[in-house]
Amino acid sequence: MADLKYSHELLEKAKQLRNDGYHYFKIAELINQEFGSSITMSGINHALNDYMRGIYRFQKPKKQKQAQLKAKAGNDFDAGFDTDKRTGKPFAFGQGQLADFYKWQDKTPEDIMRFVGVDPDEWEIEMFSGGQHEVVSKDSDNQPQVTPAYSFKFRAKPKTADDLSIDDLIGLFNERVTPVTFPIVHQNSERNLILAQADDHWGWTRLSDMLPHLKNQIDLIKRGYDTIVIQLLGDQFHSEHNDKTTTYSETQLDHADNYRAWFEAKQYYTELIQSCLQHANRVELRAVKGNHSPTRDVEFADLLHEKFPQVHSYINNDIFSAYRLGNKDSQVFIGMAHGNTAKNRLPMEMATKFSDLWSSTSWRELFLGHFHKLDLSGATDDYGLTVRIVPTVKPTDEWEKANGLDMSKRVGSAYEYDNAGLKAVYTL
């Protein structure tokens, strides 16, 4: 496999593809085909944005890493650095360097990896062994001569999200939350689109599960809209916690990769929002919290708000919300709730808590998640409110099997309106 570092040639090709209108998941696919690499859409996204702003730092070629060393008297070894990063003092390299390193007290795993030129920020030691032995040879007078020799071996593995501390993860996350903006291309459309995202359950759900859905969303977005609303209806994450897989109420769940969840969710929504910004006159992000991960739901929506200042964000730390879809003359009332509480009372709650909005509209809908099933028909109750159950794309888990939901369709959904009401429903 080719080197995964980004070269000038690779980034220029990516820039050309971006200018041609390709999105990052397609750019990554085409780049990998041409260069024999295995870059991700998130990786090329960050690298290309930095490159186009003139701040991408090309890495200098690293000296060859060695996982096993054996020393003989008279050999010199260049370890790729000459100081101890803990103390700033020089190592005793040159003849007998392994002897000096072997005798050095209180070596840390980081010292060992730096000694052989391996970056301890990217790797961790799985196994280490070392020792001293004697080499018997003959001198010029054919007499036996004993020379002490030293050797050590270690095996290292790349660090993954599971190996990072909370402080490491926060540092990585903050480092990469750089606000990005895009030129607005006016869309000659009077239609509005709702992208309803319910029960993503990131951590249980992987990015690979969501990519086909993302492609279908982008194909629809490219039609161009006046307003696109991304609705986050809660339970964006499988677990409320990083160090254990439980809900907010401490219900035990099947194990999920809760650290990776943050990064993959960010990759997915970065690509989705960028596409929306390029094909809509206005983009809104609206969020309510769920029952699995209410705290993380709100925190993640805040993260997206910080990253995309052009998006009009409305993040509600409550169980429901409502808004007028489209411009001020629109007759479309949209309510949002996760759906785990007060379902039978929500129509009345919408009419009373949002009475001004309710009375000034004639087409009223309520979006719910939580039930993990597809309901295309909607159901109008006595108050004139159409309740829509939004399906989920996530793979089936044990809770769904136990509740008879393992046969429900795993699809996404989108809803198209004009200022008078619903025009189309899409399954994605």
Side-chain angles (χ1 to χ4, degrees):
M1 183 175 291
D3 188 359
L4 302 188
K5 302 301 181 291
Y6 301 101
S7 64
H8 284 281
E9 180 185 6
L10 186 151
L11 289 172
E12 279 296 322
K13 180 64 176 181
K15 180 180 177 182
Q16 175 190 332
L17 292 171
R18 189 61 178 165
N19 291 338
D20 290 341
Y22 288 97
H23 294 275
Y24 285 113
F25 75 90
K26 187 63 176 179
I27 292 174
E29 178 184 333
L30 294 174
I31 289 291
N32 289 336
Q33 290 175 359
E34 179 171 340
F35 290 85
S37 55
S38 59
I39 61 175
T40 64
M41 69 175 186
S42 176
I44 194 63
N45 176 7
H46 291 299
L48 185 56
N49 283 333
D50 287 348
Y51 180 69
M52 294 176 69
R53 293 197 299 266
I55 60 174
Y56 184 80
R57 292 180 294 179
F58 291 94
Q59 293 191 5
K60 297 179 180 180
K62 291 185 178 180
K63 297 184 179 180
Q64 185 178 7
K65 299 177 181 180
Q66 298 186 33
Q68 179 177 338
L69 299 176
K70 291 184 179 180
K72 295 181 180 180
N75 281 356
D76 287 334
F77 171 70
D78 180 6
F81 65 99
D82 56 8
T83 59
D84 174 9
K85 292 183 180 180
R86 298 181 308 168
T87 64
K89 296 180 180 180
F91 281 118
F93 291 132
Q95 185 171 350
Q97 64 184 312
L98 271 180
D100 291 333
F101 189 72
Y102 181 79
K103 295 174 183 177
W104 182 31
Q105 299 296 313
D106 300 323
K107 292 185 290 291
T108 67
E110 289 77 16
D111 295 327
I112 295 168
M113 286 188 284
R114 287 200 302 268
F115 181 73
V116 295
V118 174
D119 187 350
D121 293 330
E122 298 179 6
W123 298 77
E124 69 171 356
I125 286 182
E126 285 189 304
M127 178 276 293
F128 172 79
S129 64
Q132 176 183 355
H133 58 278
E134 295 180 341
V135 175
V136 180
S137 59
K138 292 185 178 181
D139 60 18
S140 57
D141 297 326
N142 204 30
Q143 296 297 314
Q145 181 175 339
V146 178
T147 304
Y150 304 87
S151 66
F152 68 85
K153 303 177 183 178
F154 81 95
R155 183 172 63 245
K157 67 174 183 178
K159 279 188 175 181
T160 66
D162 290 336
D163 304 314
L164 300 176
S165 67
I166 295 297
D167 289 339
D168 291 334
L169 287 167
I170 292 173
L172 285 172
F173 218 55
N174 290 338
E175 176 185 326
R176 297 176 184 176
V177 181
T178 303
V180 294
T181 59
F182 295 86
I184 301 299
V185 179
H186 181 72
Q187 305 295 320
N188 295 316
S189 174
E190 296 181 353
R191 296 290 180 92
N192 306 309
L193 184 69
I194 291 179
L195 299 172
Q197 298 287 136
D199 305 282
D200 286 352
H201 286 259
W202 290 100
W204 179 265
T205 304
R206 299 298 302 274
L207 184 60
S208 57
D209 300 319
M210 297 291 282
L211 286 180
H213 176 53
L214 177 62
K215 181 181 184 302
N216 292 336
Q217 287 179 308
I218 290 175
D219 288 342
L220 178 60
I221 290 166
K222 285 180 178 179
R223 297 181 182 183
Y225 290 91
D226 184 33
T227 298
I228 297 179
V229 180
I230 300 172
Q231 286 188 167
L232 304 182
L233 293 168
D235 285 2
Q236 302 308 119
F237 297 90
H238 197 56
S239 173
E240 172 74 348
H241 309 282
N242 280 331
D243 57 348
K244 57 183 178 180
T245 305
T246 63
T247 66
Y248 177 77
S249 59
E250 298 297 331
T251 300
Q252 184 64 49
L253 305 169
D254 295 324
H255 176 68
D257 192 338
N258 300 313
Y259 291 109
R260 186 186 295 272
W262 279 98
F263 296 97
E264 294 197 336
K266 182 186 167 192
Q267 292 177 56
Y268 175 86
Y269 281 101
T270 293
E271 187 68 21
L272 180 65
I273 292 174
Q274 288 177 174
S275 180
C276 291
L277 287 169
Q278 292 169 338
H279 296 94
N281 298 325
R282 178 183 173 89
V283 179
E284 298 179 3
L285 175 71
R286 295 182 177 271
V288 293
K289 61 185 181 181
N291 63 301
H292 269 242
S293 56
T295 306
R296 300 181 89 187
D297 291 344
V298 175
E299 289 174 345
F300 184 70
D302 280 333
L303 168 73
L304 296 177
H305 167 66
E306 294 294 330
K307 185 173 180 63
F308 295 99
Q310 289 172 291
V311 174
H312 301 268
S313 299
Y314 305 88
I315 302 165
N316 198 310
N317 193 27
D318 203 344
I319 61 172
F320 49 78
S321 180
Y323 63 97
R324 185 190 304 272
L325 176 63
N327 61 37
K328 60 183 179 59
D329 298 321
S330 171
Q331 291 294 305
V332 180
F333 173 106
I334 300 294
M336 297 171 54
H338 181 60
N340 61 305
T341 59
K343 181 186 176 184
N344 295 330
R345 300 192 305 273
L346 280 173
M348 184 58 70
E349 293 282 353
M350 291 287 153
T352 55
K353 290 186 178 297
F354 307 100
S355 56
D356 290 344
L357 180 59
W358 184 277
S359 62
S360 63
T361 53
S362 58
W363 189 282
R364 306 179 186 102
E365 297 192 4
L366 171 63
F367 283 79
L368 303 177
H370 186 63
F371 297 100
H372 297 199
K373 65 180 182 179
L374 177 64
D375 180 6
L376 294 179
S377 62
T380 302
D381 73 354
D382 294 337
Y383 299 99
L385 182 70
T386 300
V387 180
R388 298 196 180 278
I389 306 299
V390 177
T392 179
V393 183
K394 67 174 287 295
T396 302
D397 60 26
E398 292 301 320
W399 179 88
E400 290 170 314
K401 293 178 182 178
N403 286 274
L405 296 173
D406 52 316
M407 296 299 290
S408 61
K409 292 181 174 61
R410 301 290 146 166
V411 296
S413 58
Y415 307 82
E416 187 174 306
Y417 302 79
D418 62 12
N419 285 339
L422 180 72
K423 292 301 178 183
V425 178
Y426 302 96
T427 55
L428 305 173

